């Protein structure tokens, strides 16, 4: 007779193996062109930009996945995808944003980046404190075990 724990283990094993057999296939893809607008991402380097919500359906391209993969350009590196701050500012001005709007967005982005930095530093301090506390408790436990084992011989 099986107890509940062995039943749940068997069920988990079956569900895990059935999940491994599942797969997803794509036959086509769609490439949409979105506009660029002034963003709000935390950054210390120039104005933040982001994709606009709207796209032009007339510029949407549809491809068979295999054809696209065969003819696509090589993937860009991370450094190739970075837009220099001066170019972002130029593009935003071309889109009609004023210098004051861009400056305000840059100030807000810097403020948010500083707050994020403070949060990361605070989390790191908390983790270090937690680690120190755990190490301290471990020393206490080891010390109490030594005292209790040595006192048993007295």
């Amino acid at each position: 007779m099986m107890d509940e724990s062995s039943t749940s283990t068997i069920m988990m094993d079956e569900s895990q193996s059935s999940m491994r057999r599942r797969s997803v296939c794509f036959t086509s893809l769609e490439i949409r062109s979105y506009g660029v607008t002034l963003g709000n991402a935390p950054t210390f380097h120039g104005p933040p930009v982001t994709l606009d919500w709207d796209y032009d359906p007339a510029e949407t391209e549809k491809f068979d996945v295999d054809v696209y993969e065969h003819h696509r350009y090589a993937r860009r590196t991370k450094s190739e995808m970075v837009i220099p701050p001066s170019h972002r500012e130029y593009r935003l001005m071309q889109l009609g944003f004023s210098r004051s709007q861009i400056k305000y967005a840059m100030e807000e982005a810097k403020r948010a980046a500083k707050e994020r930095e403070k949060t990361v530093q605070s989390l790191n301090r908390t983790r270090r404190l937690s680690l120190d506390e755990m190490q301290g408790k471990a020393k206490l436990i080891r010390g109490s075990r030594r005292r209790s084992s040595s006192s048993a011989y007295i």
Side-chain angles (χ1 to χ4, degrees):
M1 180 172 168
M2 282 192 199
D3 65 345
E4 261 184 58
S5 63
S6 47
T7 305
S8 63
T9 303
I10 291 169
M11 289 172 60
M12 274 182 54
D13 290 342
E14 288 173 0
S15 67
Q16 287 173 348
S17 66
S18 68
M19 286 180 72
R20 280 188 223 124
R21 282 185 257 145
R22 293 181 186 171
S23 65
V24 176
C25 296
F26 297 98
T27 55
S28 63
L29 62 94
E30 205 175 90
I31 299 177
R32 296 178 178 179
S33 296
Y34 287 84
V36 175
T37 191
L38 193 55
N40 61 357
T43 181
F44 289 108
H45 309 289
V49 294
T50 190
L51 295 178
D52 205 348
W53 284 100
D54 299 323
Y55 70 96
D56 184 356
E59 289 186 34
T60 300
E61 299 178 76
K62 296 180 182 184
F63 298 95
D64 176 77
V65 171
D66 294 327
V67 171
Y68 175 79
E69 286 295 324
H70 181 67
H71 294 288
R72 72 173 171 79
Y73 295 110
R75 294 186 193 276
R76 292 183 291 171
T77 65
K78 190 175 181 178
S79 63
E80 290 174 320
M81 290 192 277
V82 173
I83 303 170
S86 58
H87 186 71
R88 281 183 269 149
E89 189 169 348
Y90 174 78
R91 285 182 70 178
L92 288 167
M93 290 181 72
Q94 293 294 323
L95 290 169
F97 290 97
S98 69
R99 284 195 188 276
S100 62
Q101 288 174 308
I102 294 170
K103 183 179 176 185
Y104 178 77
M106 288 171 59
E107 290 167 357
E108 288 298 308
K110 280 183 184 178
R111 190 173 298 121
K114 286 178 185 175
E115 286 299 316
R116 181 177 284 186
E117 224 173 39
K118 285 180 190 175
T119 301
V120 168
Q121 290 171 355
S122 175
L123 288 171
N124 288 338
R125 273 194 305 276
T126 303
R127 287 184 188 126
R128 276 195 305 274
L129 288 174
S130 297
L131 182 60
D132 290 344
E133 288 173 4
M134 288 188 291
Q135 288 171 341
K137 287 179 183 178
K139 286 178 184 176
L140 285 173
I141 292 169
R142 281 193 303 259
S144 68
R145 285 184 185 158
R146 285 185 191 137
R147 281 192 295 276
S148 65
S149 64
S150 63
S151 63
Y153 294 109
I154 298 176

